[in-house]
Amino acid sequence: MENEIWKDISGYEGLYQISNYGKIKSLSRFQSATERILKSEINKCGYVRIRLSYKNVSKKYQVHRIVALTFIPNPENK
Protein backbone atom coordinates (compact mmCIF):
# COMPACT_ATOMS: atom_id res chain seq x y z
CA MET A 1 0.00 0.00 0.00
CA GLU A 2 1.23 3.48 -0.88
CA ASN A 3 2.32 5.91 1.83
CA GLU A 4 0.15 8.93 2.52
CA ILE A 5 1.62 12.09 0.94
CA TRP A 6 0.73 15.56 2.23
CA LYS A 7 0.99 18.73 0.11
CA ASP A 8 0.00 22.37 0.63
CA ILE A 9 -3.30 23.45 -0.90
CA SER A 10 -2.79 26.13 -3.56
CA GLY A 11 -3.86 29.52 -2.21
CA TYR A 12 -3.73 28.23 1.38
CA GLU A 13 -0.03 27.46 1.71
CA GLY A 14 1.05 27.16 5.34
CA LEU A 15 -2.58 26.94 6.49
CA TYR A 16 -3.99 23.71 5.07
CA GLN A 17 -2.63 20.53 3.52
CA ILE A 18 -4.31 17.71 1.61
CA SER A 19 -3.25 14.09 1.35
CA ASN A 20 -3.39 11.84 -1.67
CA TYR A 21 -6.20 9.98 0.20
CA GLY A 22 -8.39 13.11 0.34
CA LYS A 23 -7.82 14.00 3.99
CA ILE A 24 -7.42 17.71 4.77
CA LYS A 25 -5.63 19.03 7.81
CA SER A 26 -5.31 22.46 9.34
CA LEU A 27 -1.72 23.28 10.17
CA SER A 28 -0.74 24.74 13.54
CA ARG A 29 -0.75 28.52 13.33
CA PHE A 30 -0.01 29.35 16.93
CA GLN A 31 2.34 27.86 19.50
CA SER A 32 -0.48 26.21 21.46
CA ALA A 33 -2.46 24.94 18.46
CA THR A 34 -1.89 21.53 16.91
CA GLU A 35 -2.50 20.10 13.49
CA ARG A 36 -5.89 18.46 13.09
CA ILE A 37 -7.82 16.61 10.41
CA LEU A 38 -10.86 18.62 9.32
CA LYS A 39 -14.35 17.18 9.16
CA SER A 40 -15.97 17.18 5.75
CA GLU A 41 -19.60 17.14 4.69
CA ILE A 42 -21.53 15.63 1.80
CA ASN A 43 -23.49 17.98 -0.44
CA LYS A 44 -26.90 17.22 -1.94
CA CYS A 45 -25.29 15.69 -5.05
CA GLY A 46 -23.22 13.26 -2.97
CA TYR A 47 -19.84 14.98 -3.28
CA VAL A 48 -17.57 15.44 -0.26
CA ARG A 49 -16.81 19.07 0.41
CA ILE A 50 -14.82 21.08 2.93
CA ARG A 51 -14.79 24.67 4.13
CA LEU A 52 -11.45 26.52 4.06
CA SER A 53 -10.90 29.96 5.58
CA TYR A 54 -8.32 32.66 4.94
CA LYS A 55 -8.41 36.24 6.31
CA ASN A 56 -11.95 35.77 7.72
CA VAL A 57 -13.32 34.65 4.33
CA SER A 58 -14.46 31.04 4.08
CA LYS A 59 -15.23 29.09 0.93
CA LYS A 60 -16.51 25.57 0.31
CA TYR A 61 -14.57 23.31 -2.03
CA GLN A 62 -15.20 19.81 -3.35
CA VAL A 63 -12.44 17.57 -2.02
CA HIS A 64 -11.96 15.59 -5.24
CA ARG A 65 -11.19 18.81 -7.13
CA ILE A 66 -8.55 19.85 -4.59
CA VAL A 67 -6.94 16.40 -4.82
CA ALA A 68 -6.89 16.61 -8.62
CA LEU A 69 -5.43 20.13 -8.70
CA THR A 70 -2.76 19.20 -6.15
CA PHE A 71 -1.66 15.74 -7.27
CA ILE A 72 -2.45 15.35 -11.00
CA PRO A 73 -0.04 17.08 -13.40
CA ASN A 74 -1.74 19.38 -15.90
CA PRO A 75 0.94 20.53 -18.37
CA GLU A 76 -1.61 21.60 -21.01
CA ASN A 77 -3.61 23.66 -18.47
CA LYS A 78 -6.92 21.95 -19.24
Side-chain angles (χ1 to χ4, degrees):
M1 184 170 217
E2 183 181 333
N3 290 335
E4 193 167 20
I5 300 168
W6 291 92
K7 291 187 178 182
D8 284 334
I9 296 175
S10 178
Y12 296 92
E13 292 85 357
L15 300 174
Y16 299 100
Q17 286 186 336
I18 190 162
S19 77
N20 53 336
Y21 293 133
K23 295 180 190 173
I24 298 179
K25 68 180 175 181
S26 174
L27 301 176
S28 58
R29 300 177 195 173
F30 309 104
Q31 291 178 347
S32 62
T34 59
E35 294 180 355
R36 66 182 181 98
I37 303 294
L38 300 178
K39 293 182 181 179
S40 57
E41 62 185 28
I42 299 175
N43 69 7
K44 65 183 178 181
C45 297
Y47 291 106
V48 179
R49 67 181 176 186
I50 195 83
R51 182 185 304 267
L52 301 179
S53 299
Y54 179 63
K55 293 186 178 180
N56 294 326
V57 177
S58 64
K59 288 180 71 174
K60 291 182 181 178
Y61 295 94
Q62 293 179 354
V63 173
H64 71 276
R65 292 190 50 93
I66 300 173
V67 171
L69 291 170
T70 306
F71 289 99
I72 299 174
N74 186 8
E76 296 178 15
N77 203 19
K78 292 187 176 182

